[in-house]
């Protein structure tokens, strides 16, 4: 709805007062009754129209609030968050109902909390207490006000006993106001957890009793009872309620609510039911969607309450190792290998039985996961030939993951002498190291436990390598259900994954899973990004994936060439190529010929024009009158986001360096301030664009 159509509370009151005055005046004038009725209807319709506008605006506000209810927007773009805060503040002013005002305040506070700005969250809610507005609230709104204020106070004041205690008092007040506030009991449980586990258990138990399908307190009740009693019996006691919690969590996931916690709870609950496959599946979804390391650490800490009975809970050991590795790769991605936390992770993995079995890995690392049992002979020979060409000059480490024996045949058929090849293979009843053509091969017995040990071992070796995070990649080639697990893990760790097109087996099954679509586009992320890419069975595409920088943003990945053209001379004033290989010049010439169509089109500066050329696209505009053309060559049709960014980029180029570019064009020489162009790209497209430069 157009912002101009929305009235403020004061505007609405004035219209109402004026309408009543007009109605009284006209009604008592000496006019015909029919005319009085017409006047009355007009005024009534006017009031109704404005009331409808106002209601629509508030409906939209509360629809937005519903989206925030479970906090899944907390991890998005800060700019978008501040926009939402401004919108909610604007609607706060317009709101007629005090309960609506407080609900809006609560949502503003929640957005700030998503940015860990606890001070602003607290300040907004404390104002309601200072103004004594809360005395007029409905019970559920009033209880929520005290509950969330208590939560934010305890989060901010971990080092201040007095302030922390104030937060606890607010939570107790919420329960006094509404004894059926399960969330307040659950938060109090969280505040006492690890301080006084008995008291924490009491609060979690009360929360769960109020809602038997509430997974968060149920999980904590079970794990705290296991820790306190050092027995596995609590799992059996609550088993019939686990299905209820699973069902509710799945419903929330379908609405993108409470991510990643809903995934983590499902992983935990399925583990308690001894369903290790589904447990890993949901844990990996949670790890994939965790915005920060603390969400991973918090879940791991809860799981470790059950280490006293670890041998009786199938899969718990491997889940803990998975989480430790995930924390390790999170730190590696942030280049925090020298921190205390990094050392703790490595030490704990060593305690779990993982040791370095190889010389410390260096250079690039590529993992090939899958198998070739379903390939026909001609297709297999083509694949081997393409892999051989792609890796011909690869100077790094090639790991064939948890594969079948036939992968040894595949990889040994194309390995160049410069490759350090490590194969982790299955073979029943044999455990040995042996040298084949100078490549290290490790064989292990078959079985899920051993598969997980193999997978975690090679990730442990990679974690301890000196290889930069961005130089670790995985290629998927058919395979079985174990290889699907390898794909999940690579994505969860943030490692680039490409799958060979038209592969069968594991790859085909993986591609139909709606939770693992190649482009993740959910409400709780700021914009879509690639989880993995599908590449053709060609040496060029495989080589490009192995050697080039991996771009997760589909919009940035769409960029191929940026060109500033001197219109009069028909020569480039500046150009940058974003693709690994130089584009085919015939194709570029075709693009440029298509661009000449613009010479026949009347354009106004600032209007970005898009042209389709075969399967490619051109996007650009004139600047400085018609002196220069700024042209982007794209692989695919641009999204609205990309169009907007390109339009903003062109405007910014004209504003900041348009005069300089014109001077270079007048002398028919190329613009040489590459860093300035790069700076403008970064300001408009974000920092990931820098990965496209000097690929």
């Amino acid at each position: 709805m157009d912002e101009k159509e929305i009235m403020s509370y004061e505007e609405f009151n004035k219209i109402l007062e004026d309408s009543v005055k007009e109605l009284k005046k006209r009604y008592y004038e000496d006019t015909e009754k029919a005319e009085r009725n017409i006047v009355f209807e007009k005024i009534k319709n006017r009031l109704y129209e404005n009331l409808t506008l106002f209601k629509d605006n508030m409906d939209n506000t509360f629809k937005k609030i519903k989206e925030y209810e479970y906090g899944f927007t907390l991890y998005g773009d800060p700019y978008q968050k501040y926009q939402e805060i401004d919108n909610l503040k604007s609607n706060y002013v317009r709101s007629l109902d005090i309960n609506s005002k407080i609900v809006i305040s609560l949502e503003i506070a929640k957005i700030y909390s998503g940015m860990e700005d606890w001070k602003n969250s607290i300040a907004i809610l404390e104002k309601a207490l200072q103004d004594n507005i809360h005395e007029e609230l409905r019970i559920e709104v009033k209880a929520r006000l005290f509950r969330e204020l208590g939560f934010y106070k305890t989060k901010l004041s971990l080092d201040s006993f007095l302030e922390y205690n104030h937060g606890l008092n607010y939570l107790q007040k919420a329960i006094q106001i509404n004894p059926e506030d399960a969330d307040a009991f659950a938060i109090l449980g969280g505040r006492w957890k690890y301080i006084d586990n008995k008291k924490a258990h009491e609060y979690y138990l009360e929360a769960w009793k109020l809602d038997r399908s509430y997974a968060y307190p149920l999980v904590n009740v079970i794990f705290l009872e296991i820790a306190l009693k050092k027995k596995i019996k609590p799992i059996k006691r609550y088993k019939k309620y686990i299905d209820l919690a699973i069902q509710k969590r799945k419903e929330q996931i379908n609405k993108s609510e409470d991510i990643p916690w809903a995934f983590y709870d499902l992983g935990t609950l399925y583990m308690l039911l001894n369903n290790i496959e589904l447990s890993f599946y949901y844990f990996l979804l949670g790890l994939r969607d965790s915005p920060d390391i603390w969400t991973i650490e918090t879940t791991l800490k809860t799981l470790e309450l059950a280490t006293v009975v670890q041998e009786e809970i199938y899969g718990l050991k491997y889940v803990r190792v998975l989480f430790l590795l995930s924390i390790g790769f999170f730190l590696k991605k942030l280049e925090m290998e020298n921190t205390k936390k990094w050392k703790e992770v490595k030490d704990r993995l060593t305690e779990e039985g993982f040791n370095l079995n190889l010389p410390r890995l260096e250079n690039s690392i590529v993992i090939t996961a899958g198998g070739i049992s379903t390939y026909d002979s001609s297709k297999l020979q083509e694949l081997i030939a393409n892999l051989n060409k792609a890796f011909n000059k690869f100077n790094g480490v090639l790991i064939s993951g948890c594969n079948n024996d036939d992968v040894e045949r595949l990889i040994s058929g194309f390995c160049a002498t410069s490759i350090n090849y490590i194969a982790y293979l299955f073979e029943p009843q044999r455990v040995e190291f042996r040298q084949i053509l100078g490549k290290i091969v490790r064989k292990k017995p078959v079985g899920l436990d051993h598969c997980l040990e193999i997978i975690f071992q090679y990730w442990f070796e990679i974690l301890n390598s000196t290889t930069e995070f961005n130089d670790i990649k995985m290629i998927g080639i058919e395979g079985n259900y174990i290889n699907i697990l390898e794909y999940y893990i690579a994505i969860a760790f943030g490692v680039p994954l490409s799958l060979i097109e038209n592969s069968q087996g594991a790859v085909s099954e993986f591609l139909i899973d709606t939770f693992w679509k190649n482009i993740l586009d959910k409400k709780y992320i700021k914009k879509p990004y690639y989880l993995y890419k599908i590449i053709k069975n060609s040496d060029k595409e495989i080589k490009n994936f192995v050697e080039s920088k991996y771009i997760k943003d589909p919009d940035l990945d769409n960029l191929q060439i940026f060109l500033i053209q001197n219109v009069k001379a028909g020569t480039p004033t500046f150009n940058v190529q974003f693709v690994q290989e130089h584009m085919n010049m015939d194709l570029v010439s075709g693009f440029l010929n298509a661009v000449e169509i613009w010479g026949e089109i009347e354009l106004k500066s600032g209007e970005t024009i898009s042209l389709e050329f075969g399967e490619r696209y051109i996007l650009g505009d004139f600047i400085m009158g018609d002196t220069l053309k700024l042209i982007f060559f794209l692989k695919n049709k641009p999204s609205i986001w990309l169009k907007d960014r390109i339009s903003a980029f062109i405007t910014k180029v004209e504003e900041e360096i348009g005069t300089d570019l014109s001077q270079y064009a007048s002398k028919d020489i190329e613009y040489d301030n590459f860093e300035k162009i790069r700076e403008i790209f970064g300001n408009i497209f974000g920092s990931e664009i820098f990965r496209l430069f000097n690929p």
Side-chain angles (χ1 to χ4, degrees), residues 367-370 474-478 487 497-501 503 507:
I367 308 154
T368 59
M474 177 180 281
I475 297 176
I477 308 170
E478 301 210 350
Y487 305 155
L497 166 69
S498 278
L499 305 172
I500 301 295
E501 190 178 51
S503 289
V507 170

Side-chain angles (χ1 to χ4, degrees), residues 598-613:
W598 286 355
E600 302 169 9
I601 301 174
E602 187 176 346
L603 293 173
K604 294 180 181 178
S605 184
E607 295 181 357
T608 305
I609 299 299
S610 175
L611 295 175
E612 185 174 354
F613 181 73

Side-chain angles (χ1 to χ4, degrees), residues 403-431:
N403 297 303
N404 296 316
D405 279 354
D406 55 9
V407 174
E408 180 182 353
R409 179 164 57 93
L410 170 67
I411 296 180
S412 62
F414 72 80
C415 274
T417 55
S418 61
I419 296 177
N420 296 306
Y421 167 48
I422 305 166
Y424 289 84
L425 306 174
F426 298 121
E427 192 168 306
Q429 310 306 319
R430 292 181 62 187
V431 182

Side-chain angles (χ1 to χ4, degrees), residues 372-383 478:
I372 55 173
S373 58
T374 59
Y375 271 85
D376 60 50
S377 58
S378 61
K379 188 178 175 183
L380 178 58
Q381 291 307 312
E382 180 187 3
L383 178 62
E478 301 210 350

Side-chain angles (χ1 to χ4, degrees), residues 156-353:
L156 177 65
S157 310
L158 291 173
D159 298 326
S160 169
F161 175 78
L162 185 62
E163 287 299 309
Y164 190 86
N165 205 44
H166 282 163
L168 294 178
N169 289 336
Y170 282 136
L171 289 166
Q172 292 287 1
K173 177 76 171 175
I175 291 171
Q176 289 173 12
I177 295 167
N178 182 10
E180 296 186 359
D181 189 341
D183 287 328
F185 280 108
I187 293 170
L188 274 167
R191 298 288 75 84
W192 285 104
K193 193 175 176 183
Y194 311 118
I195 298 171
D196 184 337
N197 280 345
K198 286 186 178 180
K199 185 174 284 191
H201 175 265
E202 290 172 7
Y203 282 120
Y204 279 128
L205 188 61
E206 287 300 318
W208 175 72
K209 285 179 179 178
L210 290 167
D211 182 357
R212 301 294 172 111
S213 64
Y214 194 174
Y216 169 57
L218 175 60
V219 165
N220 279 282
V221 164
I222 294 172
F223 276 80
L224 284 169
E225 286 190 17
I226 290 173
L228 291 167
K229 298 177 181 179
K230 297 180 172 54
K231 293 181 180 179
I232 201 171
K233 287 183 179 179
I235 297 175
K236 295 179 182 178
R237 183 180 304 119
Y238 296 100
K239 191 172 183 178
K240 65 180 180 180
Y241 299 105
I242 288 176
D243 287 335
L244 277 177
I246 286 174
Q247 183 60 36
K248 185 173 181 179
R249 273 312 200 189
K250 285 184 176 180
E251 290 170 3
Q252 290 173 326
I253 286 169
N254 288 335
K255 300 174 187 175
S256 294
E257 294 173 354
D258 206 17
I259 306 298
W261 307 111
F263 287 135
Y264 284 145
D265 280 342
L266 282 177
T268 304
L269 294 168
Y270 275 116
M271 183 181 68
L272 296 177
L273 294 177
N274 287 326
N275 191 331
I276 192 63
E277 288 84 4
L278 281 178
S279 175
F280 262 85
Y281 180 83
Y282 285 109
F283 275 134
L284 286 162
L285 283 168
L287 292 171
R288 181 195 75 183
D289 291 352
S290 288
D292 207 341
I293 202 166
W294 70 269
T295 58
I296 306 170
E297 292 174 323
T298 299
T299 305
L300 175 60
K301 201 170 181 182
T302 297
L303 294 171
E304 290 186 328
L305 288 169
T307 52
V308 289
V309 292
Q310 178 167 279
E311 299 305 317
E312 298 179 70
I313 301 178
Y314 179 56
L316 177 56
K317 173 187 174 180
Y318 297 115
V319 168
R320 290 176 54 241
V321 170
L322 174 68
F323 273 71
L324 287 169
L325 284 168
S326 183
I327 293 169
F329 277 99
F330 211 112
L331 294 170
K332 191 176 184 72
K333 184 163 48 178
L334 298 175
E335 298 180 354
M336 296 174 64
E337 288 99 330
N338 296 321
T339 61
K340 181 181 177 182
K341 188 174 289 187
W342 169 264
K343 185 178 183 303
E344 287 175 357
V345 167
K346 291 204 302 181
D347 289 346
R348 291 184 63 187
L349 285 166
T350 301
E351 290 171 7
E352 294 294 335

